[in-house]
């Protein structure tokens, strides 16, 4: 009876929080999206409610509001700037919505338009969230999420500047061409139309594809979901461990897939996948030491090396007292599983008993987890958020081929992190005059 009552309270509160986020929009929806990834910290009712609603049911700006943004940026309405412009948005997110249009030379494009109220309300929303978090901390000292305010202050201005987003997308692809040429053809970002873009309007190549969590459509395209899961894992492992320039918002609404344009179907009808990265507003750079230590930590996690896990967790800021908890949050596994030498030690089965165990740990170690999040550098917190998003995507994709695909994913992470650590050691041994 107690469990039933607790479930009802959590669900009711989660729905009220969801409605509050929608009513206020902007930053609040971003916070709701983030909450939906925190499986290791909040009850499952919050996680499920936020995931089901925050990614594809965001408030929509009216066509009149869209016209006002166009007039401010280009001095013309959408029907003058483009030959065709669909007033009904294709999708809406927390900060902007996307419309389909056609340029005067006949190119079909996707036009991302910032919600008109964002610029006016962003500063007030930041101040409100800061007040809430500080007040909570004063009443409940163990609930210390003041780091969240610092992160919002740093990241929100970047996300509100669509020219920064455009530059990030081009730099991301350039990194794959230079540093990861073996998978560069399998990763893509829409081409930017710079002459039709500004800080609040972004015009991009229109791409047909399926969202990575739409398994049914993915199969219809002739793509095997488990193969896509492996590509997603390798793409972000390359970014984190080799490039040091990471897309930090890879939730399902920001990842599309299509058959690789240059590939032909196999005799069984299967096609190679190409991953399309959308929404390049939130990126983080990892300096050399942070990137190397993070790669070394994941290598240690994959190979269950307890001493190395402690060493690199401590170097990344977890401290000698919380390194085991840090490893547990990263992998969603208890410490005895993290250091288990069996090959499948990091595989999450997704069973109800396993989820209940995770929730039990989250409740039991809430104060320690809060302290860990307060202590870690913000760039590592963003890596954790990225890790949470990717876990949610992969859990959707690997249903039915769980163990084998999870093992392959672990092998990829182990290989890419090992290569990054080896490359880092080699670069430190080579005299500086020989390093380009």
């Amino acid at each position: 009876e107690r469990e039933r009552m607790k479930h009802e309270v959590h669900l009711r509160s989660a729905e009220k929080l969801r409605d509050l986020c929608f009513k206020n929009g902007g930053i609040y929806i971003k916070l709701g999206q983030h909450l939906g990834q925190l499986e290791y910290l909040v009850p499952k009712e919050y996680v499920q409610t936020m995931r089901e609603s925050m990614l594809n049911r965001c408030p929509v700006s009216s066509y009149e509001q869209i016209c006002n943004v166009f007039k401010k940026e280009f001095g013309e309405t959408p029907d003058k700037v483009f030959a065709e412009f669909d007033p009904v948005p294709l999708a809406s997110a927390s900060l902007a919505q996307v419309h389909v249009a056609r340029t005067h030379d006949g190119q079909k494009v996707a036009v991302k338009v910032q919600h008109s109220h964002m610029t006016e309300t962003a500063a007030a929303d930041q101040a409100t969230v800061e007040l809430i978090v500080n007040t909570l901390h004063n009443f409940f000292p163990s609930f210390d999420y003041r780091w969240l305010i610092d992160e919002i202050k740093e990241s929100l201005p970047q996300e509100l500047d669509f020219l920064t987003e455009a530059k990030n997308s081009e730099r991301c692809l350039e990194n794959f061409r230079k540093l990861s040429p073996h998978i560069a053809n399998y990763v893509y970002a829409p081409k930017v139309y710079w002459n039709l873009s500004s800080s609040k309007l972004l015009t991009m190549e229109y791409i047909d594809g399926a969202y990575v969590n739409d398994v049914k459509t993915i199969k219809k395209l002739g793509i095997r979901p488990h193969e896509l899961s492996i590509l997603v894992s390798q793409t972000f492992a390359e970014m984190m461990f080799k490039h040091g320039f990471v897309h930090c918002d890879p939730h399902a609404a920001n990842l599309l897939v299509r058959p690789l344009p240059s590939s032909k179907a196999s005799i069984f009808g299967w096609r190679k996948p190409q991953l399309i990265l959308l929404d390049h507003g939130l990126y983080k750079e990892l300096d050399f030491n942070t990137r190397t230590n993070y790669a070394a930590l994941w290598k240690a996690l994959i190979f269950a090396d307890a001493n190395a896990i402690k060493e690199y967790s401590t170097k990344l800021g977890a401290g000698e007292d919380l390194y085991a908890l840090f490893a547990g949050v990263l992998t969603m596994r208890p410490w005895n599983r993290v250091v288990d030498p069996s090959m499948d030690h990091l595989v999450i089965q997704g069973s109800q008993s396993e989820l209940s165990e995770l929730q039990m740990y989250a409740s039991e170690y809430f104060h320690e987890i809060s302290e860990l999040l307060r202590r870690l550098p913000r760039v590592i917190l963003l890596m954790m958020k990225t890790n949470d998003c990717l876990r949610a995507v992969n859990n959707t994709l690997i249903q039915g081929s769980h163990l084998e695909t999870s093992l392959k994913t672990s092998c990829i992470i182990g290989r890419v992190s090992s290569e990054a650590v080896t490359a880092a050691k080699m670069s430190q041994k080579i005299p500086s005059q020989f390093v380009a």
Side-chain angles (χ1 to χ4, degrees):
E1 179 68 13
R2 182 179 182 276
E3 287 302 311
R4 185 184 65 80
M5 291 291 292
K6 190 166 70 171
H7 167 73
E8 290 177 359
V9 170
H10 281 324
L11 188 60
R12 184 169 67 247
S13 300
E15 289 171 348
K16 285 183 177 179
L17 189 58
R18 175 201 61 200
D19 295 342
L20 176 72
C21 291
F22 279 148
K23 188 170 184 177
N24 287 283
I27 292 175
Y28 296 91
I29 292 177
K30 297 291 289 185
L31 291 173
Q33 289 174 345
H34 187 51
L35 192 66
Q37 310 298 335
L38 298 179
E39 293 172 292
Y40 51 81
L41 191 60
V42 298
K44 64 180 183 298
E45 290 83 1
Y46 289 88
V47 172
Q48 291 169 354
T49 300
M50 296 303 172
R51 281 187 184 173
E52 288 168 2
S53 56
M54 289 290 164
L55 297 183
N56 50 22
R57 284 175 46 194
C58 293
V60 174
S61 293
S62 68
Y63 183 61
E64 182 182 358
Q65 290 172 317
I66 295 301
C67 288
N68 289 335
V69 176
F70 266 85
K71 287 175 183 176
K72 286 180 181 178
E73 297 301 304
F74 295 142
E76 299 279 2
T77 54
D79 57 310
K80 296 288 194 301
V81 176
F82 295 98
E84 298 174 20
F85 187 89
D86 189 344
V88 179
L90 178 68
S92 182
S94 56
L95 306 182
Q97 61 192 50
V98 177
H99 293 258
V100 178
R102 195 171 294 275
T103 63
H104 289 289
D105 62 357
Q107 297 296 315
K108 189 177 182 180
V109 294
V111 185
K112 183 175 179 179
V113 187
Q114 194 170 118
H115 293 309
S116 58
H117 66 273
M118 282 307 305
T119 305
E120 291 80 11
T121 63
D125 287 346
Q126 282 187 45
T128 303
V129 173
E130 185 170 5
L131 175 65
I132 292 169
V133 171
N134 285 333
T135 302
L136 278 170
H137 177 64
N138 288 335
F139 281 101
F140 308 100
S142 62
F143 188 90
D144 190 356
Y145 279 70
R146 289 174 294 179
W147 54 267
L148 191 60
I149 305 304
D150 295 331
E151 182 51 46
I152 290 174
K153 286 179 178 177
E154 182 179 316
S155 64
L156 191 63
Q158 297 174 26
E159 292 191 77
L160 290 175
D161 184 354
F162 289 173
L163 293 178
T164 297
E165 176 178 344
K167 292 173 186 174
N168 287 344
S169 70
E170 293 192 343
R171 180 178 171 187
C172 171
L173 291 188
E174 184 65 16
N175 283 342
F176 276 99
R177 284 192 288 268
K178 288 184 176 180
L179 304 173
S180 306
H182 54 293
I183 66 164
N185 289 337
Y186 297 90
V187 182
Y188 192 72
K191 170 190 169 185
V192 175
Y193 288 76
W194 288 96
N195 61 319
L196 294 171
S197 298
S198 72
S199 61
K200 293 178 176 56
L201 277 160
L202 181 59
T203 303
M204 303 163 285
E205 168 189 8
Y206 180 87
I207 294 179
D208 271 316
Y211 288 113
V212 294
N213 62 346
D214 187 354
V215 176
K216 188 175 180 180
T217 304
I218 289 170
K219 289 179 178 178
K220 284 182 179 178
L221 292 173
I223 295 170
R224 287 178 285 197
H226 74 271
E227 193 170 344
L228 174 59
S229 171
I230 291 169
L231 175 59
V232 170
S233 297
Q234 183 164 13
T235 297
F236 282 87
E238 298 277 339
M239 279 196 224
M240 291 180 192
F241 306 141
K242 291 185 177 179
H243 305 176
F245 186 65
V246 186
H247 186 312
C248 290
D249 203 14
H251 57 69
N254 288 339
L255 302 176
L256 295 180
V257 61
R258 67 179 178 184
L260 182 68
S262 60
S263 71
K264 295 181 180 179
S266 69
I267 58 174
F268 300 107
W270 296 112
R271 300 279 301 276
K272 292 288 185 183
Q274 185 181 57
L275 183 65
I276 315 295
L277 303 177
L278 305 178
D279 194 350
H280 298 262
L282 183 57
Y283 270 72
K284 280 295 178 182
E285 288 197 59
L286 282 70
D287 61 50
F288 179 83
N289 286 333
T290 302
R291 177 171 62 82
T292 303
N293 288 333
Y294 192 61
L297 173 58
W298 270 103
K299 177 185 175 184
L301 290 168
I302 297 298
F303 293 103
D305 185 341
N307 291 332
I309 291 172
K310 180 177 181 179
E311 177 186 351
Y312 293 105
S313 293
T314 303
K315 285 183 177 180
L316 288 168
E320 294 192 1
D321 55 333
L322 294 179
Y323 73 90
L325 184 63
F326 184 34
V329 169
L330 281 175
T331 61
M332 295 284 283
R333 312 303 293 133
W335 177 250
N336 65 322
R337 289 290 293 166
V338 170
V339 294
D340 188 326
S342 61
M343 285 186 64
D344 63 345
H345 69 121
L346 296 185
V347 172
I348 300 174
Q349 300 295 342
S351 64
Q352 189 56 49
S353 61
E354 195 171 59
L355 291 173
S356 298
E357 182 185 32
L358 288 172
Q359 288 299 321
M360 180 194 73
Y361 282 122
S363 175
E364 185 176 348
Y365 294 103
F366 177 84
H367 300 308
E368 290 84 353
I369 293 173
S370 297
E371 169 60 19
L372 175 68
L373 297 179
R374 184 198 65 79
R375 186 183 295 182
L376 291 169
R378 290 205 308 277
V379 69
I380 297 301
L381 294 175
L382 264 292
M383 292 305 102
M384 290 168 66
K385 179 202 172 189
T386 303
N387 194 38
D388 296 336
C389 290
L390 294 173
R391 182 184 295 113
V393 167
N394 280 324
N395 285 346
T396 302
L397 289 172
I398 62 180
Q399 294 171 3
S401 58
H402 204 284
L403 181 59
E404 182 183 356
T405 305
S406 295
L407 289 175
K408 286 182 179 178
T409 299
S410 294
C411 288
I412 286 171
I413 295 172
R415 176 173 58 77
V416 178
S417 59
S418 297
E419 289 171 355
V421 171
T422 301
K425 289 179 179 177
M426 290 295 291
S427 69
Q428 290 177 324
K429 290 179 182 178
I430 300 173
S432 59
Q433 64 265 32
F434 296 112
V435 179

